[in-house]
């Protein structure tokens, strides 16, 4: 799993596991994330920063909601739909959740196929993931138009606390933007996989370096993160 | 069982890449579906109070854990990375506590100085 440590005298020591390993990895005079490529480590650090951004949005929403004296609109009813004459509370959000989870499933399988160098399957699974993502964004566009038609604005709404609109547009808007960029990212990488860039070691357009199938996993990290954020938005915005 | 498979996969995994059986991903996919359905049912049946909150938070944490551990392969990374990524967000909980306390105070002053509202 992990590369041994090379001492200055060029002896090799086995890398300890567990907490002792954690201490030695962070304390050593060498690279901390030894078995992780730079690309993957940087994607993780980007995602950590993004966690803070979404964390601050959800915190601001929590503070607004807890400190307002006006009743908060009931999300269960706000996001209800009439389907075939039956009133379904929160159904739209539930469907969006299932769509996004499915996209995470296909993405995980794409990563697997990528490492087995199955060009065709990887590209197809990534395209399916992108399609699920686009479906999600489409449903969000529908949700936004419906609420705007019903009179929800960032400064007010027909049902209660004025901050509902600003929190809603801010949080779901930022998440939707992430999904949209994710879809574009997926399409770009899927095209490279399909064309066989990582088999022929074709140089990248910007970097003129050879890409590796690992980019599929890095794209996957971003995509799963978008799904992860939705788990928290679903719990705190729609179920609270 | 899935854990045993994962353990086996770990030993065959290459240093830099993450190779795990597709079956494991399908299992997690299914679990995420079931947990989301449970979350939805909490709202559908209109559960309220502490029961609602504990169920929502439990399902949320289980889902988040499954996504990070299996889909994002965190379960197989070395601890140096795992701790670097997972500890800082945990500290946000301090921020949450601060803001919750602050919000209660703001609500208190609003009620005290501007009346109880509608």
């Amino acid at each position: 799993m992990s590369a041994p440590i090379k001492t200055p005298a060029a002896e090799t020591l086995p890398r300890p596991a567990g907490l002792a390993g954690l201490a030695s990895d962070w304390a050593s005079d060498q690279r901390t994330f030894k078995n992780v490529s730079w690309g993957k480590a940087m994607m993780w650090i980007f995602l950590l920063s993004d966690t803070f951004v979404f964390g601050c949005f959800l915190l601001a929403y929590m503070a607004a909601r807890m400190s307002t004296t006006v009743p908060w609109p009931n999300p269960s009813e706000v996001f209800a739909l009439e389907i075939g004459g039956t009133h379904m509370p929160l159904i739209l959000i539930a469907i969006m959740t299932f769509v996004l989870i499915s996209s995470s499933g296909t993405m995980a399988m794409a990563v697997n196929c990528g490492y087995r160098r199955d060009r065709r399957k990887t590209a197809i699974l990534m395209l399916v993931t992108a399609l699920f993502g686009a479906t999600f964004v489409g449903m969000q566009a529908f949700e936004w138009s419906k609420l705007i038609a019903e009179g929800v604005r960032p400064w007010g709404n027909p049902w209660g606390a004025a901050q509902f609109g600003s929190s809603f547009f801010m949080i779901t808007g930022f998440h939707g933007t992430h999904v949209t960029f994710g879809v574009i990212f997926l399409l770009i990488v899927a095209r490279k996989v399909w064309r066989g860039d990582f088999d022929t070691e074709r140089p990248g357009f910007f970097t003129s370096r050879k890409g590796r199938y690992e980019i599929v996993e890095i794209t996957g990290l971003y995509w799963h993160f978008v799904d992860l954020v939705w788990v928290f938005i679903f719990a705190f915005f729609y179920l609270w | 069982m899935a854990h045993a498979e994962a353990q086996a996969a770990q030993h065959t995994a290459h240093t830099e890449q993450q190779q795990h059986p597709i079956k494991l991903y399908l299992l997690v996919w299914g679990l995420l579906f079931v947990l989301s359905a449970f979350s939805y049912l909490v709202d559908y049946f209109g559960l309220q109070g502490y029961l609602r909150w504990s169920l929502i938070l439990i399902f949320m944490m289980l889902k988040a854990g499954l996504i990070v551990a299996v889909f994002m392969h965190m379960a197989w990374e070395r601890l140096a990375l795992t701790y670097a990524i997972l500890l800082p967000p945990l500290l946000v909980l301090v921020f949450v506590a601060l803001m919750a306390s602050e919000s209660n105070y703001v609500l208190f002053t609003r009620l005290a100085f501007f009346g109880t509202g509608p």
Side-chain angles (χ1 to χ4, degrees), chain A residues 70-90:
Chain A
V70 187
W72 196 261
N74 178 7
S76 180
E77 282 308 315
V78 172
F79 303 101
L81 283 186
E82 297 285 336
I83 300 178
T86 33
H87 183 71
M88 307 280 273
L90 208 67

Side-chain angles (χ1 to χ4, degrees), chain A residues 149-162:
Chain A
E150 286 169 359
V152 180
R153 299 289 183 272
W155 53 86
N157 65 77
W159 313 294

Side-chain angles (χ1 to χ4, degrees), chain B residues 3-81:
Chain B
H3 189 67
E5 281 174 11
Q7 285 290 322
Q10 182 180 355
H11 292 298
T12 52
H14 188 267
T15 317
E16 288 180 48
Q17 63 190 39
Q18 300 280 351
Q19 268 281 36
H20 312 291
I22 290 265
K23 218 168 112 186
L24 177 63
Y25 293 131
L26 290 175
L27 175 74
V28 172
W29 189 350
L31 278 174
L32 287 173
F33 246 75
V34 171
L35 288 169
S36 298
F38 283 169
S39 295
Y40 177 68
L41 288 178
V42 169
D43 186 73
Y44 189 79
F45 291 126
L47 303 179
Q48 294 301 333
Y50 283 115
L51 178 64
R52 181 191 185 91
W53 264 108
S54 33
L55 285 178
I56 288 174
L57 291 182
I58 290 169
F59 296 144
M60 178 190 85
M61 287 320 293
L62 285 175
K63 278 166 73 181
L66 281 173
I67 293 172
V68 176
V70 180
F71 280 174
M72 299 173 94
H73 309 132
M74 205 40 131
W76 298 283
E77 297 291 1
R78 229 176 129 73
L79 284 183
L81 180 73

Side-chain angles (χ1 to χ4, degrees), chain A:
Chain A
M1 186 79 191
S2 49
I5 304 171
K6 272 206 169 60
T7 65
E11 312 154 39
T12 53
L13 304 170
R15 295 175 76 200
L19 284 177
L22 171 72
S24 76
D25 281 4
W26 272 93
S28 75
D29 53 350
Q30 306 163 47
R31 262 177 64 182
T32 304
F33 303 131
K34 270 196 197 61
N35 55 335
V36 178
S37 72
W38 283 115
K40 211 161 110 180
M42 287 304 116
M43 179 50 92
W44 267 115
I45 288 165
F46 166 73
L47 294 180
L48 180 62
S49 72
D50 230 11
T51 307
F52 292 143
V53 173
F54 278 106
C56 287
F57 282 172
L58 286 171
L59 261 162
Y61 149 74
M62 180 197 80
R65 182 162 177 174
M66 282 177 72
S67 63
T68 179
T69 53
V70 187
W72 196 261
N74 178 7
S76 180
E77 282 308 315
V78 172
F79 303 101
L81 283 186
E82 297 285 336
I83 300 178
T86 33
H87 183 71
M88 307 280 273
L90 208 67
I91 188 71
L92 181 60
I93 305 306
I95 299 171
M96 284 166 75
T97 304
F98 287 125
V99 167
L100 210 54
I101 286 174
S102 299
S103 78
S104 250
T106 51
M107 186 69 231
M109 287 160 70
V111 173
N112 195 293
C113 296
Y115 280 134
R116 282 193 275 110
R117 308 183 81 84
D118 190 333
R119 216 156 51 79
R120 224 179 109 80
K121 264 193 195 160
T122 310
I124 289 174
L125 280 166
M126 289 185 87
L127 286 178
V128 173
T129 309
L131 197 69
F132 276 128
T135 310
F136 179 89
V137 177
M139 291 170 80
Q140 197 167 53
F142 169 77
E143 180 196 12
W144 274 46
S145 340
K146 185 169 164 284
L147 287 191
I148 292 170
E150 286 169 359
V152 180
R153 299 289 183 272
W155 53 86
N157 65 77
W159 313 294
Q163 300 97 322
F164 175 79
S166 43
S167 308
F168 170 75
F169 289 125
M170 188 77 181
I171 295 172
T172 63
F174 208 68
H175 180 262
T177 311
H178 274 77
V179 180
T180 309
F181 283 132
V183 169
I184 297 169
F185 191 11
L186 279 169
L187 292 177
I188 293 173
V189 177
R191 174 166 177 261
K192 283 171 180 272
V193 171
W194 184 262
R195 205 166 49 178
D197 284 14
F198 308 128
D199 297 311
T200 58
E201 306 206 313
R202 177 187 172 128
F205 170 69
F206 257 146
T207 59
S208 59
R209 291 189 190 196
K210 291 170 273 191
R212 289 183 294 144
Y213 271 101
E214 197 193 20
I215 191 66
V216 182
E217 190 193 348
I218 295 174
T219 315
L221 284 180
Y222 178 85
W223 191 259
H224 296 309
F225 175 77
V226 168
D227 187 24
L228 181 67
V229 169
W230 185 252
V231 168
F232 289 91
I233 295 177
F234 183 55
F236 292 128
F237 197 88
Y238 296 101
L239 295 177
W240 181 355

